[in-house]
Amino acid sequence: MRPPLTIVLVALPGLLLAAVGYLVHPGFLDASTARAWWTVHVYLVPVFPLISLALWALLRGVTGPVAGLARVAAYGFATFYTALDVLSGIGAGLVVEAGVPELAGRLFGVGDALGHAGVWMLLAAAVLTGLALLPRDGVRVLPGAAVLAVACFPFMTGHIFHPVGVLAMLLVATGSGLMAAVRRSPPLASGGTP
């Protein structure tokens, strides 16, 4: 069992994103919301990759090819989803604010493709993380991995928009937190102290 602070820190990215989706993320992009749209996405650029960082934290001390692939997939999520945020969030908001809304559709097209690739990577990372933790932590990690994997489906279509995307982020937080809660502490090295 992990300390409560570890569980909270691993769940925090999903909780933060759910709060932003519920409280401040505009529900649509037009001239009246453009400034708020691109501004919130500037602040979200460093937040989405924290989901990947949480998975890396869960994999701390775990070696082998499955854990390596889980880390690569988590990195892929951080990379591709950040690209979505920059193009569909910041870029599209700026062009709409500048009075060139016809360019927003092109930015959304590329951004959505990159975002979907990122969410597929997150799905792979969730499954691979569960499999990588299984030998050390047992089947207790599988419910958390399953919740995180299931979160990817509403995330794919709902970003962090209320209500679907907010639910997705709450599932990300829950899945990550459940996996953290059942992680066993790594064994002490010979001659080590507790």
Side-chain angles (χ1 to χ4, degrees):
M1 179 73 121
R2 293 305 225 181
L5 180 60
T6 302
I7 298 166
V8 170
L9 289 175
V10 168
L12 192 58
L15 294 173
L16 286 172
L17 290 164
V20 169
Y22 183 75
L23 298 171
V24 297
H25 195 292
F28 58 91
L29 174 60
D30 68 9
S32 70
T33 63
R35 179 170 292 274
W37 182 277
W38 71 258
T39 303
V40 75
H41 286 91
V42 167
Y43 292 107
L44 289 176
V45 166
V47 180
F48 279 106
L50 294 177
I51 294 172
S52 297
L53 188 60
L55 291 174
W56 278 49
L58 288 169
L59 290 164
R60 186 171 170 233
V62 180
T63 59
V66 176
L69 288 172
R71 288 180 181 97
V72 169
Y75 170 78
F77 165 73
T79 302
F80 287 107
Y81 213 83
T82 299
L84 160 80
D85 237 29
V86 170
L87 289 171
S88 298
I90 300 168
L94 285 170
V95 298
V96 169
E97 184 180 45
V100 196
E102 58 275 7
L103 289 180
R106 293 179 69 190
L107 291 168
F108 277 122
V110 175
D112 285 350
L114 292 169
H116 287 151
V119 177
W120 284 113
M121 295 290 249
L122 180 60
L123 176 61
V127 171
L128 290 166
T129 298
L131 292 174
L133 297 176
L134 191 59
R136 186 168 109 184
D137 300 316
V139 296
R140 303 173 318 150
V141 299
L142 296 181
V147 169
L148 182 55
V150 166
C152 294
F153 296 99
F155 187 25
M156 184 81 69
T157 59
H159 183 51
I160 62 169
F161 294 110
H162 184 271
V164 173
V166 171
L167 172 65
M169 291 302 99
L170 292 173
L171 290 172
V172 166
T174 302
S176 301
L178 285 172
M179 283 193 284
V182 300
R183 287 291 330 264
R184 292 192 175 116
S185 296
L188 294 174
S190 297
T193 57

